[in-house]
Amino acid sequence: MRIGILALQGAFTEHKIMLEGLGAECFEIRQLKDLYSGPVNGLVFPGGESTVMDKLLRESGLFSPLRGMLEKGIPVLATCAGLILLAEKKEDGTPPCFGTLPVTVRRNAYGRQLGSFQETAPFEGIGDFPMTFIRAPLIVSAAGQVKVLAVTRRYEMTQGISQEFPAAVLWQNQLAMSFHPELSGDPSVHAYFLNMVQNAASLSEGRPA
């Protein structure tokens, strides 16, 4: 399996280390030519600054071909800022980037970097997983067909209540989460993603010409 990792900005190296440790071949996507350097079985959109990534995607010419790949169903793992790139809507009303994942997100909802935290919670198909949140976006809502794989509890200061919000979601071949699984030391989420990639490849090979 050959996985392309968006490397315009952000925490992409940790994803590469995690995936290569599981036996995947990885390459970094910085320029348009990188997309055509060989087969691409899956994509990773890492954490970082979503506004900077959006700008660089468009300036580099990567936006349109990557969106085309997403629309054709290539498996993608998106974390933190990567989730924002996929989200169909942003709560502040600013235009979406790819807009292929039917969720609404709120940027930097969990506070500044000094307010980062880790919470261990059940992740469907994996078990308990240590979720690290760093200036994380909040998944405010998800369409009915989106599967919620993990939730977190966030204290709502305005309402004085503790409420569950999705922390990891799956829709078609798009796996996205607010937290950073690459910082956990636990490869389970990346193994889950590689299984998605393998299943997608098997289905593709089984299709009639």
Side-chain angles (χ1 to χ4, degrees), residues 162-179:
S162 182
Q163 182 178 349
E164 284 188 346
F165 289 94
V169 296
L170 175 66
W171 184 70
Q172 297 183 354
N173 279 334
Q174 299 181 55
L175 174 63
M177 55 211 68
S178 300
F179 58 91

Side-chain angles (χ1 to χ4, degrees), residues 18-185:
M18 192 76 79
L19 288 166
E20 288 180 341
L22 292 168
E25 178 186 352
C26 298
F27 70 100
E28 296 176 1
I29 302 172
R30 289 189 173 87
Q31 303 175 59
L32 193 56
K33 66 179 182 180
D34 297 329
L35 280 180
Y36 305 104
S37 61
V40 187
N41 304 115
L43 295 169
V44 174
F45 294 161
E49 293 289 343
S50 60
T51 52
V52 174
M53 289 183 182
D54 190 330
K55 180 174 181 288
L56 294 175
L57 280 165
R58 298 173 195 277
E59 290 178 350
S60 65
L62 285 167
F63 176 81
S64 291
L66 284 174
R67 180 166 187 183
M69 294 168 75
L70 293 170
E71 291 174 341
K72 289 179 181 177
I74 191 168
V76 58
L77 168 63
T79 62
C80 201
L83 160 66
I84 299 172
L85 296 182
L86 291 184
E88 187 176 74
K89 295 179 182 178
K90 300 176 190 175
E91 194 181 49
D92 62 8
T94 55
C97 182
F98 293 114
T100 55
L101 178 66
V103 300
T104 299
V105 296
R106 182 189 305 164
R107 296 179 67 245
N108 297 332
Y110 294 97
R112 299 182 178 182
Q113 191 153 337
L114 290 175
S116 301
F117 66 98
Q118 187 176 89
E119 177 182 353
T120 298
F123 190 113
E124 185 173 333
I126 292 176
D128 287 350
F129 190 86
M131 304 184 296
T132 301
F133 295 81
I134 303 173
R135 294 181 61 205
L138 174 69
I139 301 174
V140 177
S141 63
Q145 67 268 37
V146 175
K147 186 174 186 178
V148 176
L149 299 176
V151 299
T152 184
R153 299 193 70 86
R154 177 177 180 270
Y155 185 71
E156 287 285 353
M157 295 298 293
T158 56
Q159 300 178 29
I161 60 172
S162 182
Q163 182 178 349
E164 284 188 346
F165 289 94
V169 296
L170 175 66
W171 184 70
Q172 297 183 354
N173 279 334
Q174 299 181 55
L175 174 63
M177 55 211 68
S178 300
F179 58 91
H180 291 266
E182 77 281 6
L183 300 180
S184 67

